[in-house]
Amino acid sequence: MIDMMPTYEYYHEYEYNVYGWIAENSAVDIGMHIHSMVEYVYVENGRIDVTVNGQSRILTAGEIMIAASYSVHSIKSLGDSKCYVVLASLSCFSEPIFTEYRFENIYVTDSDSQSLLMLFKLISFFDSSTANGVAELYWGDKEKKQSPMQQLACVLTDLIIKQSTIVKRERVTEPIAATVDYILKHYKSKLRLSDISKAMFTNSQMLSLQFKRVMNVSISDFIASLRTIEAYRLLIDSPDMTLSEVMELSGFQSTRSMYRCIKEQYGMTPCEIRLTAAKK
């Protein structure tokens, strides 16, 4: 497996860059994070559990996770798998395509001709074979033309947009990105809206309205989704852990609320999740 790149902070821009690499036959487990780049993950084989802005899905062969800029997302392989990952900076695209828009869906499916897979492989090949070589593959001249990697990223994005329409969203502001970052660091504790608004130096009502407009999900639902994903991970990775322990470590305040959220998000009870995992 080629090591996954470090998580980017929400304010960290990698201008003019496109990255592609392969994660194969090993556990990929990247927790919730947010960055300015557009991210695509193609599953060639195996199963990948992904979450984007509170929506979760288990992807199988031929399916691609799509996360627009400043989308909170996570990736976890369920057993051995092979996937291709592409990160593209905002400089590759026409403004304001990913600063003021997001994907309507969190995944798309490749065609029978596997045209998307070929693009993922090509970008990954360029990135791995020229890591210490030709800089022109990566960085274009913003006054003249795009680099080959940028052109490939644009073609890939055009094909994806044809399958998943983009919808208008509020521009992501630094206070909202900071709020997301704060929630990611504290959702496992007893986190209240008043705690968050106090940390952000604003009032609860204004923060709630701004968060919902930008993230397309309420703060409470966003926190519940994060806790549900963490509970799901603990149920599979720690089969000897009691449900009460899973509840406490994932941030839930009661087993009843944990049961309800897991059932809604994954369509199974905690016991059914463990039984399914044990059979594999």
Side-chain angles (χ1 to χ4, degrees):
M1 171 185 171
I2 298 176
D3 290 338
M4 306 301 280
M5 298 180 66
T7 299
Y8 303 104
E9 297 294 338
Y10 67 86
Y11 53 80
H12 202 154
E13 296 285 353
Y14 281 70
E15 289 190 330
Y16 313 119
N17 293 24
V18 177
Y19 301 95
W21 66 94
I22 306 169
E24 183 176 12
N25 296 329
S26 184
V28 176
D29 190 356
I30 303 177
M32 286 292 176
H33 62 287
I34 184 171
H35 51 68
S36 65
M37 304 182 85
V38 179
E39 184 169 344
Y40 306 127
V41 180
Y42 189 111
V43 182
E44 186 172 18
N45 57 59
R47 300 161 68 243
I48 303 290
D49 186 6
V50 302
T51 298
V52 181
N53 290 340
Q55 298 182 57
S56 297
R57 180 178 174 85
I58 295 176
L59 303 183
T60 55
E63 295 183 324
I64 305 106
M65 181 200 82
I66 51 178
S69 177
Y70 300 109
S71 294
V72 182
H73 56 287
S74 66
I75 309 166
K76 179 179 175 62
S77 60
L78 304 176
D80 287 344
S81 61
K82 182 178 181 180
C83 59
Y84 295 84
V85 183
V86 170
L87 283 171
S89 71
L90 293 179
S91 63
C92 298
F93 312 109
S94 300
E95 291 289 348
I97 184 170
F98 285 125
T99 55
E100 296 183 6
Y101 289 83
R102 62 176 175 82
F103 291 114
E104 187 172 25
N105 304 313
I106 69 169
Y107 80 100
V108 296
T109 304
D110 200 358
S111 63
D112 293 337
S113 63
Q114 295 188 318
S115 56
L116 293 177
L117 177 59
M118 288 188 287
L119 280 170
F120 273 90
K121 286 185 174 181
L122 191 56
I123 292 173
S124 299
F125 171 76
F126 273 149
D127 202 7
S128 62
S129 63
T130 60
N132 300 311
V134 187
E136 286 76 11
L137 278 172
Y138 298 95
W139 293 284
D141 184 336
K142 59 183 177 181
E143 294 181 356
K144 296 180 180 180
K145 61 180 181 180
Q146 293 179 315
S147 72
M149 290 284 276
Q150 290 173 330
Q151 292 172 354
L152 287 172
C154 285
V155 172
L156 177 61
T157 299
D158 286 342
L159 291 174
I160 287 174
I161 288 177
K162 288 180 180 179
Q163 292 196 49
S164 176
T165 56
I166 53 176
V167 294
K168 185 76 173 179
R169 71 173 179 187
E170 293 285 330
R171 181 179 286 271
V172 179
T173 61
E174 185 168 329
I176 294 301
T179 300
V180 171
D181 189 54
Y182 183 85
I183 292 172
L184 292 177
K185 292 175 179 176
H186 297 91
Y187 73 88
K188 295 179 186 178
S189 61
K190 189 175 181 180
L191 188 61
R192 298 171 299 183
L193 178 58
S194 58
D195 300 326
I196 302 170
S197 59
K198 184 177 179 179
M200 296 299 109
F201 302 101
T202 186
N203 67 70
S204 299
Q205 184 176 8
M206 181 178 295
L207 182 62
S208 295
L209 291 173
Q210 291 177 340
F211 192 93
K212 181 65 181 288
R213 283 201 302 264
V214 174
M215 302 300 296
N216 199 40
V217 63
S218 69
I219 290 178
S220 59
D221 286 345
F222 181 64
I223 294 172
S225 180
L226 293 176
R227 289 171 174 167
T228 304
I229 294 162
E230 178 63 11
Y232 180 88
R233 184 188 70 80
L234 291 171
L235 287 167
I236 294 178
D237 293 349
S238 304
D240 295 330
M241 189 177 289
T242 67
L243 294 182
S244 294
E245 290 172 329
V246 171
M247 176 201 74
E248 292 176 4
L249 291 175
S250 58
F252 282 103
Q253 304 304 307
S254 70
T255 53
R256 181 178 181 180
S257 60
M258 183 180 74
Y259 264 72
R260 176 177 53 80
C261 289
I262 289 176
K263 181 70 174 179
E264 289 177 357
Q265 191 153 316
Y266 293 101
M268 295 185 286
T269 66
C271 293
E272 288 170 340
I273 289 172
R274 278 185 163 165
L275 286 172
T276 302
K279 291 177 182 179
K280 297 175 181 177

